[in-house]
């Protein structure tokens, strides 16, 4: 080999190397948990993942490094939406069909239920979010033309009150929580979106977008600096006035911890798309081996319903149907890597 050809080869290896390593660095794993899953949270301090399985009346605790089932936590009847307290000690659950909020102390194992059905005006509790320490906000599915309001609960005293002037929520009212914990986003009936100031006891509506925002109820993720939102239909909004700033591909989405990327996932053969958060250009599409089962009684394939980032931006955990799927880099927490088949 001549010196010139050798130098050309070195240049090509230098250019191709990072791309090859980046693609080869992804490790995938999936597991059928036996029950349809509805919500997911990552507990970095304990290296576990919490997934709500409503029909099991349990929150499943999954080992982050092996996908093994660590234990099952009883938090109350039909846990749907779940959230982790800011200090990492408390697990909250919206108990669908019970009109209650379940609390579970992860340090002591003490479980308790707070009945909010009177304030909520519904038993179909849907989502819960600790927007400020010790205070949770709760939504319920819409049961008629006028949906339930949002309820504020002070956990220590169990005091409940309606907020946002009693404004109705949408049919699948999943919260979007600002990272600085001063703003909560809630989908409204008719497809709009309202922005609540949770620093005040009555959590007034700061701004409301009445226009139809596709799939705003499915997921609303906020950038780390609180300046932009991304909805599950791919719309990217400016947080100040909830106006459109552009769009990425459809699918439940989130911002990376550093705010530089938007990660969106869509199924049933789970595909993860990474976008530049500034330009909204596609950086990479990752086709995973994680497949979501298609129920025999439904003509529609299952798609991912939630995504959470793993510690230190090493990857993501995605749920859909009964399946939990991990996509991560084979380093950091997962330095040994793992490849386990779907169960």
């Amino acid at each position: 080999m001549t010196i010139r050809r050798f130098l050309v080869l070195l240049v090509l290896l230098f250019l191709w190397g990072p791309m090859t390593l980046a693609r080869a660095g992804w490790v995938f794993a999936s597991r059928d948990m036996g029950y349809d899953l509805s919500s997911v949270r990552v507990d970095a301090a304990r290296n576990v993942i919490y997934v709500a399985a409503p029909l099991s009346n349990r929150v499943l605790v999954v080992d982050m490094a092996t996908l093994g089932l660590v234990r099952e936590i009883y938090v109350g009847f039909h846990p749907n939406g779940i959230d982790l307290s800011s200090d990492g000690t408390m697990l909250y659950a919206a108990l669908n069909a019970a009109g209650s909020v379940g609390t579970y102390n992860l340090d002591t194992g003490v479980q308790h239920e707070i009945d909010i059905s009177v304030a909520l005006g519904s038993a179909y509790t849907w989502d819960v979010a600790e927007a400020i320490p010790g205070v949770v906000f709760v939504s319920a599915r819409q049961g008629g033309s006028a949906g339930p309001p949002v309820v504020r609960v002070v956990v220590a005293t169990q005091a409940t009150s309606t907020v946002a002037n009693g404004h109705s929520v949408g049919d699948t009212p999943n919260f979007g929580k600002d990272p600085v914990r001063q703003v909560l986003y809630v989908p409204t009936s008719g497809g709009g979106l309202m922005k609540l100031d949770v620093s005040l006891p009555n959590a007034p509506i700061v701004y409301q977008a009445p226009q139809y925002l596709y799939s705003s109820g499915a997921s609303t993720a906020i950038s780390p600096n609180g300046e932009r939102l991304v909805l599950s239909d791919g719309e990217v909004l400016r947080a100040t006035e909830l106006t459109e700033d552009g769009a990425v591909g459809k699918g439940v989405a989130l911002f990376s911890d550093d705010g530089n990327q938007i990660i969106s996932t869509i199924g049933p053969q789970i595909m993860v798309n990474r976008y530049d958060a500034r330009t909204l250009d596609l950086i990479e599409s990752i086709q995973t081996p994680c497949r979501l089962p298609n129920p025999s009684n439904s003509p529609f394939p299952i798609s991912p319903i939630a995504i959470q980032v793993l510690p230190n931006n090493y990857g993501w955990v995605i749920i859909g149907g009964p399946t939990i799927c991990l996509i991560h880099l084979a380093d950091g927490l997962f330095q040994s890597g793992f490849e386990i088949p779907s169960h």
Side-chain angles (χ1 to χ4, degrees):
M1 179 183 293
T2 66
I3 294 178
R4 182 176 180 178
R5 288 182 179 178
F6 177 75
L7 292 174
V8 170
L9 180 60
L10 283 179
V11 171
L12 291 175
L13 287 173
F14 176 80
L15 293 175
W16 291 339
M19 185 179 297
T20 304
L21 287 174
R23 291 181 177 177
W26 296 115
V27 177
F28 311 97
S30 65
R31 179 169 180 170
D32 188 322
M33 303 307 297
Y35 299 94
D36 280 348
L37 309 174
S38 60
S39 186
V40 59
R41 288 294 182 272
V42 172
D43 188 340
R46 295 177 177 85
N47 288 333
V48 296
I49 299 164
Y50 305 110
V51 283
L55 294 182
S56 75
N57 294 326
R58 299 290 189 277
V59 171
L60 309 180
V61 185
V62 179
D63 187 281
M64 196 184 300
T66 66
L67 274 189
L69 181 62
V70 177
R71 59 185 173 129
E72 301 180 17
I73 297 175
Y74 177 78
V75 293
F77 187 67
H78 278 196
N80 190 68
I82 59 174
D83 201 14
L84 195 61
S85 65
S86 56
D87 62 4
T89 63
M90 194 74 73
L91 185 67
Y92 302 108
L95 304 180
N96 193 16
S100 301
V101 174
T103 67
Y104 183 88
N105 191 304
L106 295 164
D107 291 335
T108 66
V110 174
Q111 181 266 342
H112 187 69
E113 292 182 29
I114 305 172
D115 187 344
I116 61 168
S117 57
V118 174
L120 196 62
S122 172
Y124 299 105
T125 324
W126 185 256
D127 200 14
V128 60
E130 189 198 59
I132 55 178
V135 178
V136 299
F137 291 77
V138 190
S139 66
R141 290 203 68 174
Q142 183 174 324
S145 57
V150 177
V151 170
R152 180 182 189 265
V153 183
V154 180
V155 176
T157 64
Q158 301 186 31
T160 63
S161 60
T162 58
V163 298
N165 300 322
H167 200 288
S168 298
V169 299
D171 190 48
T172 53
N174 294 316
F175 292 121
K177 186 167 58 174
D178 189 285
V180 296
R181 302 181 186 277
Q182 296 296 304
V183 173
L184 197 66
Y185 295 91
V186 192
T188 64
S189 54
L193 194 67
M194 58 184 176
K195 177 181 180 180
L196 308 183
D197 180 357
V198 297
S199 68
L200 300 175
N202 62 338
I205 300 173
V206 177
Y207 200 86
Q208 183 174 351
Q211 75 269 24
Y212 187 79
L213 299 170
Y214 296 101
S215 303
S216 61
S219 73
T220 304
I222 299 90
S223 62
N225 61 12
E227 293 180 356
R228 292 202 294 176
L229 289 69
V230 58
L231 307 181
S232 55
D233 199 62
E235 289 176 286
V236 179
L237 307 179
R238 288 184 289 273
T240 50
E241 296 181 349
L242 300 181
T243 50
E244 188 167 314
D245 202 28
V248 295
K250 293 183 179 181
V252 291
L254 51 68
F255 286 85
S256 59
D257 283 346
D258 58 13
N260 292 329
Q261 294 183 18
I262 295 174
I263 295 90
S264 176
T265 180
I266 196 165
Q269 182 78 41
I270 293 180
M271 171 84 76
V272 175
N273 294 310
R274 298 194 297 130
Y275 299 88
D276 184 300
R278 183 180 60 85
T279 65
L280 305 184
D281 292 333
L282 180 66
I283 298 172
E284 179 184 19
S285 291
I286 306 168
Q287 181 64 68
T288 82
C290 302
R291 177 173 289 277
L292 304 179
N294 187 25
S296 58
N297 60 347
S298 173
F300 305 105
I302 293 178
S303 289
I305 63 166
I307 180 173
Q308 289 279 289
V309 68
L310 294 173
N312 301 314
N313 277 332
Y314 282 124
W316 314 278
V317 54
I318 300 164
I319 61 170
T323 302
I324 181 171
C325 178
L326 287 189
I327 304 164
H328 62 77
L329 294 170
D331 59 7
L333 176 65
F334 312 96
Q335 55 189 347
S336 60
F338 68 96
E339 291 280 1
I340 64 174
S342 300
H343 289 71

